[in-house]
Amino acid sequence: MPSSCIRVRCLHIAHDTGYLLRVTFEISVDGHCEPGFGPVADLLAGFIDSGREVGASLGVYRAGRPVVEIWGGHADRARTRPWERDTMTPIASTSKALATSAVLHLVDRGEIDLERPVADYWPEFGQQGKVEIPVHLVLAHRSGLAALDGSVSNDDAAELDEVLHRLERQRLWWRPGTRHGYHAVTYGYILSGLVRAVTGRTVGRYFADEIATAHGLDLYLGVPADQHHRVAPMVGPSQSQAFRSLLNPTWLPYALGVLDRRSVSYHATFGGSAAGFDDHEELVRYDVEDASAGGVGSGIALARLFAALIGPVDGRRIVSAGLMNAARQPQASGRDEVLRMRTDWCLGFQLPGGPMWPSVGVPGLFGHTGASGSLAFADPEHELSFGYTPNYWGELSAVGRRSRFRSTELTEAVYAAAGIRRWAER
């Protein structure tokens, strides 16, 4: 069925000012939707018009074809720079999906064995009781190497060797395989050390060479300097806002953990990065390769990535069907030692069900969320993939209250448009 072009426009009228003036500006969502998917664009336009969104990109694929490719709003806090089709934005922890894809690509090539210890490829990693940790425990956030004792700066990340040496010397937070806990900062660096030991390239370089270029993906773990002008910077909370947003019953156990600066909760998250939400100059160092949380891209590109993980796109897929089916099987579920709430993991990807990624009543999804509000996932049964990248970190800016995730509402709109029945959520 041929696609139909759309251009949704909404007029926003501000409240009357003291001088009886009205301030108006136009909101647009551009791109294309297949017939029936127009309500998805309407919802995104409504987010922008209401102020829940500044700018965003959204993509949906079905059976290897794009059925939604839309973008809208603005790429800057002042709302003076329109969001264009090629605009990218930071994707926070959704970056981990890019790093995971690179490792699975190497597994498919026979260069990495999921059952073998990381130290077989990277001998120095085996210090401090880590000699027998297999690759699959790292991917499932069960390795015990959930945090470093100190924070990682952008300068450290750019150098990389120092971070890898610290990982080699780092003690474990629990015995491998006995618990799971979100490796929020260490995940990407462990994979980068592993990939470099196998290929001589970092995980970001390998992803760029072997996956992004080959599959036409506008996704980066380290953005080339000549592409920085396309990046919409984060419009987000202050450091204190980000922390205060956790003060509700859902996030409170994690917030209490972060208050203890000796805890793995603190060291793995707020204490794991030297760049906080107030460090604006550090937050725009897009050239730095941070495969845990420093990726940059668009929702359209993320949808294409996940489509190519579960089937052919333009005749090519990233990993074999057998490996992908094995990788998406559950590996961990229950209380997360870092986040102190339920999380669910397969090999390198999140599974829905806990507060970090609420279930929408469709079984078999796998993907990844980011604190930016980003979400990317695949639904193999329905041959559907989804990518969403906002530049407004809205959920982390909502102090003292919990609204529904924008990504959840958009996901529900996509399934309604696709005519896919969802289970009722309790």
Side-chain angles (χ1 to χ4, degrees), residues 115-138:
E115 300 297 325
R116 287 182 62 185
V118 175
D120 281 5
Y121 306 98
W122 174 12
E124 297 82 3
F125 180 83
Q127 301 174 51
Q128 296 284 357
K130 300 191 292 294
V131 70
E132 295 183 356
I133 296 175
V135 174
H136 70 83
L137 285 187
V138 174

Side-chain angles (χ1 to χ4, degrees), residues 44 53-59 70-77 81-96 98 217-223 227-237 283-288 290 293-302 370-376 387-394 406:
L44 182 62
E53 201 81 86
V54 176
S57 167
L58 174 66
I70 56 176
W71 59 92
H74 294 88
D76 62 335
R77 184 184 296 270
R81 177 183 156 203
W83 194 292
E84 306 289 350
R85 192 191 195 288
D86 68 348
T87 300
M88 305 182 292
T89 200
I91 60 176
S93 284
T94 305
S95 309
K96 293 179 176 70
L98 281 57
L217 302 174
D218 206 13
L219 297 169
Y220 297 90
L221 295 171
V223 181
Q227 299 299 312
H228 283 201
H229 67 282
R230 298 199 287 122
V231 182
M234 178 185 79
V235 178
L283 293 175
V284 297
R285 290 183 60 180
Y286 307 124
D287 57 304
V288 174
D290 172 4
V296 172
S298 71
I300 293 170
L302 283 171
S372 61
S374 61
L375 170 65
Y388 165 61
T389 53
N391 66 339
Y392 178 49
W393 295 39
R406 294 162 291 171

Side-chain angles (χ1 to χ4, degrees), residues 6 17 50 57 186 196 208-209 235 243 381 413 419:
I6 62 163
T17 70
S50 68
S57 167
T186 56
R196 194 175 73 169
D209 294 344
V235 178
F243 184 77
E381 180 181 347

Side-chain angles (χ1 to χ4, degrees), residues 252-325:
L252 191 57
Y254 165 59
L256 293 174
V258 170
L259 288 174
D260 179 0
R261 297 206 168 196
R262 299 166 300 176
S263 72
V264 66
S265 298
Y266 172 77
H267 283 286
T269 57
F270 276 81
S273 173
F277 288 97
D278 297 328
D279 299 321
H280 301 295
E281 291 185 2
E282 292 298 309
L283 293 175
V284 297
R285 290 183 60 180
Y286 307 124
D287 57 304
V288 174
E289 181 182 319
D290 172 4
S292 287
V296 172
S298 71
I300 293 170
L302 283 171
R304 185 176 176 87
L305 168 69
F306 274 83
L309 285 171
I310 61 171
V313 175
D314 294 336
R316 305 183 65 186
R317 59 183 302 153
I318 294 172
V319 298
S320 65
L323 175 60
M324 195 65 254
N325 285 334

